[in-house]
Amino acid sequence: MIEFKNISKVYKNNHIALSNISLSINKGEFVFLVGPSGAGKSTFIKLLLKEIEPTSGDITVNGVNIKKLKRKEVPYYRRNIGIVFQDFRLLQEMTVFENVAFAMQVVEAGHKDIKRKVPQMLSLVGLSSKANMYPHQLSGGEQQRVVLARALSNNPGILICDEPTGNLDPETAWGIMDLLNDINKSGTTILMATHAKDIVDRMKKRVVAIEKGVIVRDQQRGVYGYED
Amino acid sequence: MIEFKNISKVYKNNHIALSNISLSINKGEFVFLVGPSGAGKSTFIKLLLKEIEPTSGDITVNGVNIKKLKRKEVPYYRRNIGIVFQDFRLLQEMTVFENVAFAMQVVEAGHKDIKRKVPQMLSLVGLSSKANMYPHQLSGGEQQRVVLARALSNNPGILICDEPTGNLDPETAWGIMDLLNDINKSGTTILMATHAKDIVDRMKKRVVAIEKGVIVRDQQRGVYGYED
Amino acid sequence: MKIRTFNYFFKESFKSIKRNRVMSFASVTTVAAALFIFGVFMIIISNVNSLVDTVENKVEIKAFLKDDISSLKVRDIEKEIKAISGVKNVTYESKDEALKKVSEQLGENKDLTEGLEEDNPFPASFIIKVNKPSDVSYVSKELSKIQDFEKINDAQEIVNQIIKITNFIKLFSLILMIILSVIGISLISNTIKLTVYARKREISIMKYIGATDWFVKWPFLLEGIMLGLLGALIAIGFLSAGYSYGMKMVSPNILFFSFVPLKTIFQSILWQFLLVGMFIGGFGSLISIRKFLVL
Amino acid sequence: MKIRTFNYFFKESFKSIKRNRVMSFASVTTVAAALFIFGVFMIIISNVNSLVDTVENKVEIKAFLKDDISSLKVRDIEKEIKAISGVKNVTYESKDEALKKVSEQLGENKDLTEGLEEDNPFPASFIIKVNKPSDVSYVSKELSKIQDFEKINDAQEIVNQIIKITNFIKLFSLILMIILSVIGISLISNTIKLTVYARKREISIMKYIGATDWFVKWPFLLEGIMLGLLGALIAIGFLSAGYSYGMKMVSPNILFFSFVPLKTIFQSILWQFLLVGMFIGGFGSLISIRKFLVL
Ligand SMILES: Nc1ncnc2c1ncn2[C@@H]1O[C@H](COP(=O)(O)OP(=O)(O)OP(=O)(O)O)[C@@H](O)[C@H]1O
Ligand SMILES: Nc1ncnc2c1ncn2[C@@H]1O[C@H](COP(=O)(O)OP(=O)(O)OP(=O)(O)O)[C@@H](O)[C@H]1O
Ligand SMILES: [Mg+2]
Ligand SMILES: [Mg+2]
């Protein structure tokens, strides 16, 4: 379903973020992307989102080579991908409810759908009571959960999470992981970049380890694998 | 040195973030602030920074009741406190070097001091090679380390860290913790809010646990203490 | 596009205007100010034009008749003159009237013409008004073909002067209008650019979660149009109020000239301003947002 | 404040202008546009004033002498007139000159005055120019005390008319200037408000790491001043170029009036504009930044 073929990414300052990466992820898989800070995990995700273009190589998603997507087609491509950003990226001028509703409005969902779905999503991440608050009134962990609710609101086929539990206490983090597991079981492909050793170790999912832009390990039912 | 006396904080929407907290931290201590998401840890830190005012109670720092600080005196008070924000807060239009130098310029440090100190700080956090890059060109973990370098640049008497390892891989995180330990040994008081169980457990420092705005535990050589 | 989406856009624009109060206020003020200045010039120019018209109206050709022409012949000649293209109207001035005029012209020395009534030396004449000052030379040539005139006084020099002045005023207003339009549009597009700039994070987030370019553009477009319209309305309001007040203040002081009525001016600017405001707002939005759409 | 800190502020302002190119450009354009429009009005008004001066200069009192006054007496009277306060200059017009004038006034009917030379019916007169139109009534009263005048023609009606028109033009320019100043300042302060608004994150971070209020303000202040100065310079440049070009274009077309020379206008606006630009920029920065300083 997702196929990276000989992908390299060299940034303008000649920094090689990824070099000749090949990887394929099947529909319905749950993949952890691990590796030290600066390894290239976020770069991998940005390529998949078509936020940046690979220097060489091809990326195929659901049989479509995304290099060849026209400008007009990119939004429709992205609607199939839910994304949880490392740095939240919530709209500061909108309430929690509006932030989630916004994602649905963008894909032109119906008013009724929105009214029904948003509270569902918020209760899923345990934030029903904060629906009318603004992002700056939330704790870091609460913001991260809003982002997750937003990413899930459009039932994406692929869910990408960049460090979704980085700001969460273990308990809340496990709540989120259980949720992701459920979503994964219902058929959504999940790709999650993380540093959370215990989570990776206990989930026993596929682990792809990147170091200095190269895949150093690709293991089914793997572990975090770095000594701390 | 830091003394919270019967501090309560009720936000405008009547959310009680902290209720009747009393706590004192001595000079040179290393204190972990733990607790679930939304417990009130960041609120505690914001009060200490005089970003927000307590609803009731007094905060004394180095013998000064900070409630009574005049508007003009607040900047000088803050210069004694280094701060690592949960959401980075780097200036996007400045390079890594400039971001750190900026913190020194703000307190009117000399040109030579800046030229000497900034590279020192950057090598301390392992980012010498990224000095001329902009924040958006850095990985999440790299950004967090820049923030740490900035916080340390003015040799603050108190260092406050809100989730400083949230976006770091365990190896880098431990590097940072070793660094904080050294800084602490040289006399700097450190207050660190975190969810990183293994770090708290292994460091064996004082642990203050907050839950729903109340201190539920205050333990010398403590552990994280939440089941995950 | 679905109707509910359009509703959403409208709501969104209103919300955004409310949210970005400071910036919306700045945009509206800018549009209003530019159009107001524009309007002041339009009013000045249309009054100057009306003044020029008044002056132009006074351009006349005087054709002096030979002596001893019968009043029957006079009527024939009058018809002939009226047939010349460019002639607006023709007035006959008899010898008696001419004498009276001269004595009036002499003012305090009018005693000089006393006694001249019996042997009136002043000739009768036709006073011919033309449509445009530039018609004078043609009409005057045609008149010279009629044999009954002693002399044709077409004040060619004065006419040329008036044509030059009129052309100058028209040129000046044109240049000024062009300059003001360019300044106005650049001010407004800059303001909107700043508005968009301050919201570039919002735009980038929208793009990430799968918004199409037009989905991003529409609320800004509507917002721009609404702000432009509002600015236009404010400008019209101030102009109307200011002009009618100004006329009241000034009118009694000026004898030789009457102002273009408010209604005439209002009719011509109302739709123009609303359209220009809409256009400036919408167009300004679109060009300002373009570069932020490339993710 | 240490000098190196000030150096830092300067560098910072320059960097910030470079970094926020779009917004800096917008601010400079706004200042330049406002001052340009302002300047256009100043130029128009100073030319109108000079035109009014020209017209006012033409206001004159004509005092007709009784017949048979000796040329010795004439010289005495002239001295007497010159002594009246408000009198600018006095010209004597002899009987012969008066006749010549009338015959010129009659134009094509000048034959009428032929033969009058021997028994010239036109009186000699003094033509008296006054300093200001409003001096006319006083001077004319004083003249009437001199017994040797047959008649004093002070054209009171025309004078009043001119005074009224002049006052109207002055009032109109004043009102227009006030309106334009208000619009200009609000435009600029809005623009700077937007600049600050887009950098509120930066300001809040500065406050967190211990920056004093003035440390935050200075770079914005300097930036505002520099942008204001730059805008003023651009406006002055365009005005000078435009005015000298306009004069060249238009001068040959206008006979009765000469333009105020570029140098005169330039001298008066140069410092005014630079000061106004600086003030607007700096002041605009300070008021715009205030509310963002409260952390
Ligand atoms: N726009 C850019 N220009 C230049 N270099 C960049 C850019 N973006 C990222 N890099 C560099 O590429 C490397 C990989 O970055 P990436 O964000 O993919 O790391 P990461 O694996 O997500 O790290 P982390 O766990 O800290 O988030 C880093 O060293 C970073 O400095
Ligand atoms: N400005 C505000 N207005 C209203 N409520 C607020 C505001 N700021 C924080 N809160 C609420 O106060 C509670 C405590 O927030 P705080 O940021 O202190 O949590 P935290 O312990 O830092 O959590 P985390 O670990 O997720 O960062 C949260 O429930 C939050 O929603
Ligand atoms: Mg990353
Ligand atoms: Mg927090």
Side-chain angles (χ1 to χ4, degrees), chain A residues 11-13 15-17 35-44 46 86 162-163 193 195, chain B residues 130 133 136-142 145 167-169:
Chain A
Y11 282 110
K12 271 194 199 114
N13 56 352
H15 183 93
I16 303 168
S37 173
K41 303 181 296 297
S42 295
T43 303
F44 185 95
K46 284 176 190 163
Q86 200 167 2
D162 199 351
E163 215 87 58
H195 296 301
Chain B
K130 307 272 177 190
M133 289 168 85
H136 76 268
Q137 298 177 316
L138 297 181
S139 77
E142 288 162 346
R145 282 180 278 159
N167 289 301
L168 298 179
D169 59 291

Side-chain angles (χ1 to χ4, degrees), chain C:
Chain C
M1 194 168 37
K2 296 168 191 168
I3 287 182
R4 66 157 175 265
T5 306
F6 209 80
N7 274 343
Y8 156 73
F9 288 153
F10 255 110
K11 268 199 231 148
E12 213 35 49
S13 322
F14 272 116
K15 262 196 232 159
S16 155
I17 289 174
K18 246 174 72 186
R19 236 181 250 135
N20 305 295
R21 253 161 281 146
V22 185
M23 293 190 279
S24 305
F25 179 77
S27 306
V28 171
T29 317
T30 309
V31 179
L35 287 178
F36 181 81
I37 292 171
F38 204 82
V40 168
F41 272 87
M42 280 180 71
I43 286 176
I44 290 176
I45 285 163
S46 82
N47 274 298
V48 165
N49 279 340
S50 122
L51 180 63
V52 167
D53 280 354
T54 314
V55 173
E56 278 183 357
N57 231 2
K58 294 204 169 128
V59 172
E60 49 187 42
I61 302 173
K62 209 164 182 180
F64 296 94
L65 281 170
K66 288 181 180 152
D67 249 346
D68 308 319
I69 289 191
S70 69
S71 57
L72 220 88
K73 189 82 202 275
V74 164
R75 242 170 279 155
D76 284 349
I77 297 171
E78 189 166 351
K79 269 181 211 146
E80 247 179 292
I81 296 173
K82 275 185 177 152
I84 300 171
S85 88
V87 168
K88 198 162 146 201
N89 71 49
V90 180
T91 325
Y92 177 68
E93 186 180 289
S94 69
K95 285 172 77 77
D96 287 351
E97 284 162 347
L99 175 66
K100 220 164 120 198
K101 246 193 183 168
V102 171
S103 90
E104 269 161 21
Q105 261 181 45
L106 286 174
E108 67 270 12
N109 305 315
K110 71 167 79 156
D111 328 340
L112 209 72
T113 56
E114 262 163 35
L116 283 177
E117 285 88 357
E118 271 127 66
D119 186 22
N120 185 347
F122 298 107
S125 62
F126 281 107
I127 294 159
I128 299 134
K129 291 210 166 118
V130 292
N131 287 328
K132 310 187 291 290
S134 53
D135 288 336
V136 167
S137 76
Y138 171 77
V139 171
S140 142
K141 218 170 74 197
E142 287 300 305
L143 287 175
S144 66
K145 288 182 190 154
I146 301 173
Q147 301 297 331
D148 303 298
F149 292 126
E150 176 82 40
K151 189 179 175 188
I152 294 163
N153 193 347
D154 59 3
Q156 195 61 48
E157 231 169 70
I158 295 171
V159 168
N160 283 340
Q161 188 78 7
I162 287 174
I163 292 175
K164 274 181 188 162
I165 293 173
T166 316
N167 284 344
F168 163 64
I169 289 176
K170 278 180 185 161
L171 182 75
F172 181 76
S173 351
L174 191 74
I175 291 172
L176 214 56
M177 276 216 172
I178 291 171
I179 292 174
L180 276 171
S181 310
V182 171
I183 290 174
I185 286 173
S186 94
L187 276 181
I188 290 154
S189 106
N190 274 327
T191 310
I192 293 175
K193 212 177 277 162
L194 290 175
T195 316
V196 177
Y197 191 87
R199 290 165 73 185
K200 65 179 177 196
R201 220 180 79 95
E202 188 173 334
I203 295 170
S204 95
I205 293 173
M206 287 170 88
K207 294 288 296 176
Y208 271 113
I209 55 185
T212 59
D213 283 357
W214 270 105
F215 189 90
V216 176
K217 278 183 201 168
W218 263 110
F220 282 100
L221 185 63
L222 286 179
E223 190 181 337
I225 290 175
M226 282 192 260
L227 294 179
L229 276 180
L230 193 58
L233 283 174
I234 290 173
I236 292 169
F238 273 95
L239 280 174
S240 304
Y243 187 56
S244 59
Y245 180 73
M247 279 199 306
K248 244 182 245 156
M249 288 260 302
V250 159
S251 269
N253 290 336
I254 295 211
L255 304 171
F256 59 90
F257 167 66
S258 65
F259 283 94
V260 177
L262 179 63
K263 219 181 134 199
T264 315
I265 290 197
F266 194 74
Q267 270 171 351
S268 81
I269 65 171
L270 182 64
W271 291 110
Q272 278 176 35
F273 270 37
L274 290 181
L275 278 174
V276 167
M278 252 176 75
F279 176 80
I280 284 173
F283 191 71
S285 284
L286 284 187
I287 51 170
S288 311
I289 205 177
R290 258 179 65 209
K291 67 174 239 195
F292 293 102
L293 282 177
V294 187
L295 198 69

Side-chain angles (χ1 to χ4, degrees), chain A residues 129-147:
Chain A
S129 63
K130 307 272 176 188
N132 294 318
M133 289 167 85
Y134 290 91
H136 75 268
Q137 299 178 318
L138 297 181
S139 77
E142 286 163 349
Q143 290 187 46
Q144 198 126 39
R145 282 179 278 158
V146 179
V147 180

Side-chain angles (χ1 to χ4, degrees), chain B residues 166-180:
Chain B
N167 289 301
L168 298 179
D169 59 291
E171 206 174 334
T172 316
W174 275 109
I176 296 287
M177 289 315 296
D178 288 344
L179 187 64
L180 290 181

